[in-house]
Amino acid sequence: MIITVASGKGGTGKTTVAVNLALTLENILSVQILDCDVEEPNVHLFLHPEFKYSEIVTLPVPAVDQGKCVGCGKCSEICAFNAIIVLGTKVVIFPELCHGCGGCSRFCPEGAISENPREIGGIKGGWAGQIGFIQGRLNVGNPLAPTVINAVKKRGKTSQADVAIIDAPPGTTCSVVASLKDCDFCILVTEPTPFGLNDLILAVDVARHLQIPFGVVINRADLGNKDILNYCEGEEIPILAQIPFDRRYAACYARGGRLVEEFPELKEAFKELWERICALAKYDPIDKGAIH
């Protein structure tokens, strides 16, 4: 069971939902959480994991043997990202633009292009209590977050956990699509504001395009207006949970606290959230541990 927690915009409470859902399931299922918000990972601030390993994430970038190159321009023609161009007989490579597809080396008629690994980020993992933890981090200045996200998810697949919870980046970019790919259910976290509604609509379009079952969690639900509720009702989108605004919740979050451990009412709310996800995703909680 792979659950991706996403949002159309930042600051809606996506990480809060991911962390506290994992904590709710910790004692009844084997759970891992994958922090795929690789440009600014922050799940570790709440779970305080003990890291057991780290790995470098690399991307293959082209290297040209000028002695073999005849300047035909085939490599430049097939590069969709303009990472390699030919000026006369000179081949110029822009490593920061390269997506590592390998097309230039594969189709070079002279066999003049090889590939060298370039470090773009890293992953590290370990345990936070009984919760398996994997974090990705993109190096500053690199635009290729999906490569690091895919590395996190690949490492996560080696686990035998019953449930994997992915904390996705905010927005609706390629990074979010990489986080959503192959998941069983998506939680879209939003807030009752005009910006929240606008960006929720974009996120809903992505989830529908990818044909992923999804529902909405409204954070700070008693602030703002009712436009989110009206939109979800009109689009027949299930509301999974509504979390009210409370200064105590905000203070707990600000110091890196765990909401479900400090507030019993939120523990119950996340139990109900899990049960709704199971129903919508057709996941059998009896077979894999019902919450009582």
Side-chain angles (χ1 to χ4, degrees), residues 220-274:
R220 299 183 285 272
D222 49 348
L223 299 179
N225 53 46
K226 303 297 182 184
D227 290 349
I228 295 285
L229 290 171
N230 295 334
Y231 166 74
C232 290
E233 181 180 357
E235 293 290 326
E236 299 182 340
I237 298 171
I239 301 293
L240 303 174
Q242 297 187 57
I243 303 173
F245 173 77
D246 191 313
R247 289 182 64 88
R248 298 174 303 156
Y249 302 167
C252 176
Y253 175 87
R255 56 180 163 77
R258 302 175 175 188
L259 293 173
V260 295
E261 294 178 357
E262 297 191 28
F263 304 101
E265 69 274 17
L266 289 183
K267 180 80 172 206
E268 292 302 315
F270 275 91
K271 288 180 181 179
E272 294 175 6
L273 169 62
W274 168 243

Side-chain angles (χ1 to χ4, degrees), residues 7-258:
S7 62
K9 64 181 291 293
T12 60
K14 172 176 53 62
T15 298
T16 298
V17 171
V19 167
N20 286 281
L21 180 59
L23 290 169
T24 300
L25 301 178
E26 179 180 13
N27 294 319
I28 55 97
L29 290 168
S30 58
V31 182
Q32 66 172 345
I33 188 164
L34 312 179
D35 194 345
C36 289
D37 190 0
V38 299
E39 293 186 71
E40 194 172 0
N42 65 343
V43 171
H44 64 285
L45 299 176
F46 302 93
L47 292 183
H48 307 289
E50 181 181 355
F51 290 109
K52 300 292 187 179
Y53 64 86
S54 63
E55 300 173 1
I56 293 173
V57 178
T58 62
L59 190 75
V61 297
V64 179
D65 183 340
Q66 299 291 349
K68 293 181 179 179
C69 178
V70 296
C72 68
K74 187 68 176 178
C75 55
S76 179
E77 290 175 14
I78 68 165
C79 183
F81 304 100
N82 298 314
I84 185 168
I85 62 173
V86 178
L87 301 174
T89 59
K90 178 74 173 179
V91 179
V92 181
I93 298 170
F94 302 94
E96 295 80 6
L97 300 179
C98 179
H99 283 56
C101 71
C104 56
S105 61
R106 179 171 182 176
F107 292 103
C108 176
E110 305 299 324
I113 300 179
S114 58
E115 293 178 328
N116 295 325
R118 180 172 72 91
E119 180 180 342
I120 63 168
I123 65 174
K124 57 183 180 179
W127 293 89
Q130 299 180 64
I131 299 173
F133 182 85
I134 305 177
Q135 176 194 85
R137 187 177 293 274
L138 183 70
N139 288 349
V140 175
N142 283 281
L144 301 176
T147 302
V148 180
I149 291 170
N150 290 334
V152 173
K153 295 176 68 176
K154 182 178 180 180
R155 182 68 190 230
K157 287 181 179 179
T158 64
S159 168
Q160 300 299 314
D162 297 321
V163 179
I165 300 172
I166 297 174
D167 185 22
T172 53
T173 62
C174 296
S175 301
V176 179
V177 174
S179 301
L180 284 169
K181 185 179 179 182
D182 300 324
C183 78
D184 300 303
F185 192 85
C186 175
I187 302 172
L188 295 176
V189 185
T190 189
E191 60 188 14
T193 65
F195 286 118
L197 175 59
N198 179 78
D199 294 337
L200 174 63
I201 293 172
L202 298 177
V204 166
D205 286 344
V206 172
R208 284 176 169 166
H209 183 77
L210 296 175
Q211 299 183 342
I212 298 170
F214 67 94
V216 169
V217 170
I218 305 177
N219 193 21
R220 299 183 285 272
D222 49 348
L223 299 179
N225 53 46
K226 303 297 182 184
D227 290 349
I228 295 285
L229 290 171
N230 295 334
Y231 166 74
C232 290
E233 181 180 357
E235 293 290 326
E236 299 182 340
I237 298 171
I239 301 293
L240 303 174
Q242 297 187 57
I243 303 173
F245 173 77
D246 191 313
R247 289 182 64 88
R248 298 174 303 156
Y249 302 167
C252 176
Y253 175 87
R255 56 180 163 77
R258 302 175 175 188

